[in-house]
Structures are given as C-alpha cells and as structure tokens.
Amino acid sequence: MKKIHQAFLIAGATTFTLAACGNDTSTLADVGDDYSPENPVDVKVGITGSDSPEWDHVAKLAEEEGIDVEIVRFSDYVQPNQALADGSIDINAFQTVSFFDNFREEHDLDLAAIGSTVLAPMGLYSDKYDNVDDIPDGAEITIDREITNQARNLMLLAEAGLLELEDDFGVTSGLDQIKDNPKELTLIEIAPANAPRLMQDVDASVINNGFAVDAGLSPAEDAIFREDETATPYINIIAAQTKDQDNPVLQRLVELYQSEDVENVILEEHKGARIPTAISLDELNSYPR
C-alpha cells in the first residue's frame, strides 16, 4: 500500500515542500471523474493538529479507488484557508461553518463548504477547580480572540451559568454583548492554540476541542463544563475552492468521510469528543447569521 505523505507547517510559514509520490498521478484539473488505481489522482487535504485517525482511514479507502490523499498539517486556524485559496492544498477540514463563513468574507476568499464532518463539543477546563460552581468571583478565564470562536466561548460560559448575554447575541457577537457578569470574571482574549498552556496560569480556560485533545485533555472526562449540544453554526466542514466544489473527486472524499465505516472510526477513536454529523448543505447553511 502506498504511504500516506504528511507535511507539517508552523505558524508564519509561507512555503512548504511535499514528498513526491512514487507513482505518476494526475491533478484535479486533469482527471475529472476518470480516475482509478491505474490512473490515480492526488488530493492534498489540510487539517489542524496531529490527531486524525478518520482522515488516515479516509486516505486508505480513497487509495483503493485511485485517490491518493496527502495530509498537510497546520498549527493555526489562518493558514489552512489561505493555503486553500492559493491552491497549495485542494480541500481543508478543520473549522466550523460559522468560522469559515466569517473568515472567507473578512478575507474575500472564493471558497465554498462542500460537506459536513463532525460536531466537536467545546469545553471549559481548569487546573484549579473540579466543578464550574467552584469558580470564584473575580476569576480569570481565557477565551478565544477570534470573533466566531469567541462568540461560541461566551455562549458556553452563559450555558454554564457564569454570564448572561443579550437576547440578540449571535455567532459574531463579542464582549460588548455581555448583559451581566455577576462574578465579575476577567475574560482574557488569546490565540486558541495557547489555551492549554496558559490554563495553569488562570482559573479556567475555554479550549477548542482539537487543541484540548492535542494537549492530552479529554473533552468527555476533563472538562468541568461542556456543551450539551452543538448547534448548526458549530458543525465542522470540508471546504474547497468554489470552482472545485462540484469536482467528482472531492465529492467522493466527502462521501467517504460520511460513510458508516469512517463514522465507526470516529466514534471508536474519539469516544464522544467528536460526533459524526452528515447533513445537507442547505441545512448546514441555514443557521441564523
């Protein structure tokens, strides 16, 4: 079986070199739907973090059909969309639909969501307290400084009973939409990747699911409070350039990701930290802005 190549990128990097495949392969633009194990096509998939058993499994299934998946790993939430926009990768799978919509609008990127993947419940973690009710007045809590993730962080804190938000609070609302902060919490805005490291210096941290897992935290066991359910804006997606959104190779990768085989891998490997979610694009894009 051909090796699945992986490239590692760090924040600030603008170029990268990928290992060449041993077989001659075609590009998306060349192959259309005329691909097979004898006439394979290369697809570069951008993800964040190091924990990707589902994509490793998708790659194995895809290889059997003639799609050679190359997994490109990023360490932040900015470069995967920039790399997609400039054609360095063919699809990415790391972000919620609300983050994606806000990012592509803010940066004027011609990208499109082509399928849903998982719900990844966000959690509140603490090295000092075992229960959210124990968080004291004046506590310091880190939250994400990126707008859509910050809105989600604040909604989690409100769900935990630590804040009260304005009635019209939405997916791009921020600190100015906090109606009441009864414990006079100090909310510290940070880059999400730094949350696990900074958790020891504050009373609690809201940590994105992926970064929590990479830091050895279990969202199901270690979070002192976790989202009960994740609404449509926080479903994760697969994204592509708009011109490639109907490409049969990419659509096949979406089908493989949403297959029962991959669903079982997600459930077994992540043990509730990620929940397989396959919904239509119409439903995915129906959340209130």
Side-chain angles (χ1 to χ4, degrees), residues 13-183:
T14 57
T15 62
F16 53 88
T17 302
L18 298 172
C21 296
N23 296 341
D24 291 332
T25 54
S26 302
T27 66
L28 284 176
D30 295 332
V31 75
D33 58 359
D34 184 23
Y35 62 91
S36 68
E38 294 73 33
N39 179 37
V41 57
D42 276 336
V43 178
K44 297 171 186 173
V45 180
I47 66 171
T48 56
S50 59
D51 186 27
S52 61
E54 59 269 46
W55 275 108
D56 295 334
H57 196 70
V58 168
K60 292 176 182 178
L61 297 175
E63 185 185 30
E64 296 171 3
E65 300 184 9
I67 305 172
D68 287 348
V69 172
E70 189 166 14
I71 299 174
V72 183
R73 301 182 187 278
F74 296 84
S75 62
D76 67 17
Y77 284 177
V78 175
Q79 289 189 75
N81 280 329
Q82 293 175 336
L84 181 59
D86 68 25
S88 299
I89 57 177
D90 299 301
I91 57 175
N92 66 37
F94 74 99
Q95 61 196 322
T96 66
V97 66
S98 57
F99 176 90
F100 171 73
D101 286 341
N102 187 69
F103 190 97
R104 67 175 174 171
E105 180 177 346
E106 189 175 285
H107 297 272
D108 193 26
L109 302 180
D110 194 15
L111 307 178
I114 64 171
S116 62
T117 56
V118 296
L119 301 176
M122 186 172 281
L124 179 66
Y125 298 82
S126 176
D127 277 342
K128 299 178 180 179
Y129 305 104
D130 295 326
N131 192 295
V132 70
D133 294 333
D134 297 332
I135 292 178
D137 292 352
E140 293 183 331
I141 298 178
T142 63
I143 60 171
D144 195 338
R145 65 188 179 200
E146 188 279 322
I147 187 63
T148 55
N149 281 330
Q150 183 176 109
R152 186 180 182 185
N153 288 187
L154 295 176
M155 284 189 273
L156 173 66
L157 295 177
E159 188 179 347
L162 296 172
L163 298 175
E164 184 179 351
L165 305 177
E166 297 289 352
D167 292 341
D168 59 351
F169 192 94
V171 296
T172 57
S173 297
L175 295 171
D176 60 341
Q177 288 287 91
I178 295 175
K179 183 177 182 180
D180 190 23
N181 180 0
K183 292 196 171 196

